[in-house]
Amino acid sequence: MDQLRIGLTMRVVEAVEYAEKRDALAQDWPGFMHQVLPEYKWMPMPNLGSGIASYVQSWNLSGFIITGGNNLFECPERDETELALISYALANDIPIFGVCRGFQIMAHYFGFKIQPCSNHAATTHEVIINGDKHMVNSYHDNCGPVEMQPPLMAFARDLEGRIEGFRHVQEPLMAIMWHPERECQATDLNIKMIRKFFGLL
């Protein structure tokens, strides 16, 4: 089996005491990738806008994770990069997994609206997956829609019925609203879900 090379998108941050923006990846991610996908190489991807396709090709990347951080539309360079990445992934049958903001930008790409919500930042709550309840973390101020139509299909909802996880009905695209990388030890739910998505189960 060829080794998958996974690219992780980065948030945009303002550098303290410097008048410049910087791309950044939360330090939780290296440990998480080692726990969950130790067989695969990974690397961060800069916010290059539409130029991300050439970057992906030059590094021979064959899988993507859109990470969390930044609300939609507050960092145009990140929005443009990730929308271009989704288009590239769909056109080339490349698996792409979204986390929190990743969920939101993917939903937006397919025309679904993200709504502001309260009591979801820095807390935990239950989601229902295949009839079973699972406790997940929550670090977002926006919530998913309550309905989705093809090509997207919901597989996880919170107790109020809002969608917390969806997948594409044909393409290798999937997203969740919680942060699997922010657990001290990756949970069985997240390990199995992500390894299965990237073809390891």
Side-chain angles (χ1 to χ4, degrees), residues 106-180:
M106 287 181 181
H108 170 73
Y109 180 91
F110 287 97
F112 295 98
K113 293 186 179 297
I114 300 299
Q115 302 293 336
C117 61
S118 59
N119 302 320
H120 271 254
T123 186
T124 59
H125 64 87
E126 289 181 319
V127 296
I128 301 173
I129 303 175
N130 295 326
D132 296 323
K133 292 182 179 180
H134 299 270
M135 189 65 69
V136 299
N137 61 37
S138 183
Y139 292 93
H140 51 269
D141 297 315
N142 296 311
C143 288
V146 297
E147 296 294 338
M148 279 186 169
Q149 297 82 38
L152 302 184
M153 178 181 69
F155 69 86
R157 293 179 181 272
D158 65 17
L159 298 186
E160 286 73 43
R162 293 172 293 213
I163 296 170
E164 290 265 332
F166 66 79
R167 61 173 58 91
H168 197 286
V169 297
Q170 293 178 317
E171 304 296 336
L173 179 148
M174 182 176 182
I176 57 177
M177 278 295 277
W178 60 94
H179 282 259

Side-chain angles (χ1 to χ4, degrees), residues 4-194:
L4 191 67
R5 297 173 181 268
I6 299 176
L8 276 63
T9 66
M10 293 191 284
R11 70 181 65 198
V12 177
V13 298
E14 295 285 348
V16 178
E17 298 181 355
Y18 292 88
E20 63 185 32
K21 293 181 178 180
R22 297 183 181 182
D23 292 334
L25 185 69
Q27 292 182 352
D28 301 314
W29 278 104
F32 178 77
M33 295 298 288
H34 178 72
Q35 284 186 60
V36 178
L37 297 170
E39 302 92 339
Y40 292 162
K41 294 181 178 180
W42 65 274
M43 62 184 294
M45 296 185 295
N47 288 295
L48 299 174
S50 60
I52 194 63
S54 295
Y55 182 88
V56 165
Q57 293 168 354
S58 66
W59 285 99
N60 194 29
L61 299 180
S62 50
F64 311 119
I65 296 176
I66 299 182
T67 68
N70 301 131
N71 289 321
L72 298 187
F73 316 127
E74 69 181 17
C75 300
E77 62 271 48
R78 185 173 184 187
D79 295 334
E80 183 182 358
T81 298
E82 292 176 347
L83 291 171
L85 192 65
I86 295 168
S87 292
Y88 182 86
L90 291 170
N92 292 277
D93 197 34
I94 296 175
I96 182 167
F97 189 90
V99 170
C100 195
R101 175 197 159 88
F103 174 112
Q104 297 173 54
I105 194 89
M106 287 181 181
H108 170 73
Y109 180 91
F110 287 97
F112 295 98
K113 293 186 179 297
I114 300 299
Q115 302 293 336
C117 61
S118 59
N119 302 320
H120 271 254
T123 186
T124 59
H125 64 87
E126 289 181 319
V127 296
I128 301 173
I129 303 175
N130 295 326
D132 296 323
K133 292 182 179 180
H134 299 270
M135 189 65 69
V136 299
N137 61 37
S138 183
Y139 292 93
H140 51 269
D141 297 315
N142 296 311
C143 288
V146 297
E147 296 294 338
M148 279 186 169
Q149 297 82 38
L152 302 184
M153 178 181 69
F155 69 86
R157 293 179 181 272
D158 65 17
L159 298 186
E160 286 73 43
R162 293 172 293 213
I163 296 170
E164 290 265 332
F166 66 79
R167 61 173 58 91
H168 197 286
V169 297
Q170 293 178 317
E171 304 296 336
L173 179 148
M174 182 176 182
I176 57 177
M177 278 295 277
W178 60 94
H179 282 259
E181 82 284 3
R182 290 187 180 178
E183 304 289 351
C184 294
Q185 177 65 41
T187 65
D188 287 345
L189 169 67
N190 293 323
I191 291 173
K192 291 177 181 177
M193 176 174 55
I194 292 172

